[in-house]
Amino acid sequence: MSDLRALYEEVILEHNRKPRNYMKRPEGANRSAYGFNPICGDEFTIHMTVEDGVVKDVGFEGAGCAISTASASMMTQAVMGKTEAEAEALFEAVRDLLTHDHPDPATAGRVGKLQVLTGVREFPMRVKCATLAWHTMHAAMHGVDGTVNTEEPEEHHQCAIGGGH
Amino acid sequence: MTAVTTGAMTLPLDVEPIRAQFPVLHQEVNGQPLAYLDNAATTQKPRAVIDAVSGFYERDCANVHRGVHALSARATEAYEAARGSVQRRLNARRPGEIVFVRGATEAINLVAWSFLRPRLQAGDEILVTEMEHHANIVPWQLLCQQIGAQLRVVPVTDSGELRLEALDGLLGDRTRLLALTHVSNALGTINPVAEIVARAHARGVPVLVDGAQALPHVAMDVQALDVDFYVFSGHKTYGPSGIGALYGKHEHLQAMPPWQGGGEMILSVTFDRTTFAAPPLRFEAGTPDMEGAIGLAAALEWLESVGLERAAAHERELLDHATRALRSVPGVRIIGTAAEKAAIISFTMEGAHPHDIGTILDHEGIAVRTGHHCAQPLMRRFGVPATARASFALYNTHAEVERLVEGLHQVRRVLGR
């Protein structure tokens, strides 16, 4: 139970139950990106208002598991009011923390409360859940069009799909 | 069928001696005994299959069809005997109607490119159903894209059954093939294949049936069903992975050009021309998966020795038990409630994403599948991104059903519901 509790920390469960800045498209939003995990179907759209190099407001919509929802909620709180450079540094730090067994010792100090997400390291199948919103935020901030995908597709083939529905 | 056999079929399945034949089941996962409920993804292997594969390596390993030496003769004999086992399991007319392939997916691709492509023109239609696995959608889409054909879709009802009343309207003059699953991997629905084939044939439309989920559970008679093609994978029916079979009617296979070139599919080669072997070897390029075929035959024979009817009856009891028990868990919604179902239960749980369910159950030693089950159009049809899925095999027990239910209560506790 102990390692499961590390994954489902009370803070994470609380954010999952009451996600912050959820279903919110900030007034004057000028950045957005859509993130998708095709393996599990988690999908989030991040909307941001960035003015004078500062994240004035941020919100998200979509659906996912407890880990991805809580991570998205905490991300919005963490980047709110940060400069673009600070948000970028936070993105790098969180990614480092979640994907490396021995992250840079300075990282822990930089992420603060987001350290509760580190339980996910023991569950490799769930790391993408925790990083999805962060990658999406990163894409939104950089004005990347289209979709962030946890699995990189090589090509999209399309076929006309006719009636029947 | 003898009276003795009939009597044996009515006896309930004694699960413990069956479980004893599956080494993998006797382990702990996260400190709990393993409850393996992900059988629609792959089944575990009995000792008979493990021994058949290792026995081939230990005694008979040689390439088939090529050598004149003893080991090659034994390997060839075992490989062709395996073809005979598949023929008997499907009740095909002759062994030559059985082509060994890597699995159901490869078999579908073979039919797409060798059978359908030469007879498909722009504006033609291929009919699939809304409950298909991606493997029975994508090969047809690729073909549509190349030729300019259209995919059309038979819809499903809210209970997860095919809307047969829509079928006749969709079977048109331009329909060149109907491809459908026998048993839905995501819903458990058993489709009325005989009736569907009859309707398609009445319009002159050949039918491919994906039997990947059916073969471990239901009796199969390709002649009685009159299907044109039937495909399945070994690993979902207690056999090895990387091996499966395509059944094709003799007249179809005879008319089909080779799909891949090289190896035993060739009669003679000059730089001017090549003449090809007759089916099934025409479609088995390169050195085949000999140990896979031998393991598959062992699996089919093992299941026959247990008794498919007894196994199916046991699985039906597990399904009924699990359906009742899951409905008692607050917030659980079962997706797929067809009258005719295999022992597969897809479900969602209010306030718990399937991946959280999967992780917490895994912590209790219970293996279920979570995700879209490679049936994304079907997930969209039911308005869910994913489900959790418990799928049962003949070695599963009622105690494991109870553990699943208790595990779901644990999910609620962990997530604070």
Side-chain angles (χ1 to χ4, degrees), chain B residues 157-215:
Chain B
T157 65
D158 289 345
S159 63
E161 292 169 320
L162 289 178
R163 282 180 48 195
L164 291 183
E165 74 278 9
L167 181 63
D168 290 331
L170 287 162
L171 284 164
D173 293 339
R174 303 300 302 262
T175 312
R176 294 291 169 260
L177 185 91
L178 165 61
L180 83 155
T181 191
H182 194 163
V183 172
S184 161
N185 72 311
L187 303 173
T189 308
I190 302 175
N191 286 318
V193 170
E195 181 186 346
I196 293 168
V197 170
R199 289 197 196 195
H201 283 180
R203 304 293 296 267
V205 175
V207 180
L208 175 143
V209 174
D210 174 0
Q213 296 295 341
L215 219 61

Side-chain angles (χ1 to χ4, degrees), chain A residues 1-13 116 119 123, chain B residues 363 410 412-416:
Chain A
M1 193 63 196
S2 57
D3 52 345
L4 198 62
R5 273 289 166 220
L7 180 66
Y8 293 105
E9 281 261 9
E10 194 49 47
V11 175
I12 288 175
L13 295 173
V116 297
F123 296 81
Chain B
H363 200 260
Q410 175 70 354
R412 287 170 51 81
R413 284 193 289 272
V414 170
L415 296 181

Side-chain angles (χ1 to χ4, degrees), chain B residues 115-315:
Chain B
F115 173 77
L116 195 55
R117 188 176 187 280
R119 54 175 72 192
L120 197 67
Q121 296 182 341
D124 284 348
E125 293 170 357
I126 302 168
L127 192 53
V128 297
T129 85
E130 204 172 17
M131 68 170 75
E132 295 311 311
H133 188 280
H134 293 168
N136 205 19
I137 299 173
V138 177
W140 311 118
Q141 276 183 336
L142 291 170
L143 207 49
C144 285
Q145 189 188 36
Q146 266 212 3
I147 306 289
Q150 275 222 329
L151 202 63
R152 290 174 70 85
V153 184
V154 183
V156 302
T157 65
D158 289 345
S159 63
E161 292 169 320
L162 289 178
R163 282 180 48 195
L164 291 183
E165 74 278 9
L167 181 63
D168 290 331
L170 287 162
L171 284 164
D173 293 339
R174 303 300 302 262
T175 312
R176 294 291 169 260
L177 185 91
L178 165 61
L180 83 155
T181 191
H182 194 163
V183 172
S184 161
N185 72 311
L187 303 173
T189 308
I190 302 175
N191 286 318
V193 170
E195 181 186 346
I196 293 168
V197 170
R199 289 197 196 195
H201 283 180
R203 304 293 296 267
V205 175
V207 180
L208 175 143
V209 174
D210 174 0
Q213 296 295 341
L215 219 61
H217 308 292
V218 297
M220 186 56 211
D221 184 337
V222 291
Q223 294 186 62
L225 292 184
D226 198 27
V227 291
D228 296 275
F229 298 99
Y230 196 87
V231 309
F232 73 94
S233 299
H235 73 98
K236 291 188 199 289
T237 187
Y238 308 104
S241 52
I243 186 76
L246 162 69
Y247 158 79
K249 280 184 178 173
H250 178 72
E251 59 267 32
H252 290 325
L253 294 181
Q254 286 289 333
M256 285 158 58
W259 184 46
Q260 297 171 338
E264 204 57 39
M265 51 81 70
I266 288 155
L267 280 184
S268 71
V269 178
T270 69
F271 282 112
D272 293 325
R273 72 187 296 264
T274 297
T275 52
F276 299 107
L281 296 186
R282 182 189 298 167
F283 303 108
E284 295 179 2
T287 296
D289 182 358
M290 303 169 289
E291 55 272 46
I294 289 161
L296 171 58
L300 297 178
E301 285 154 18
W302 175 83
L303 186 55
E304 192 180 347
S305 76
V306 172
L308 190 59
E309 293 294 330
R310 288 169 68 204
H314 174 66
E315 290 171 7

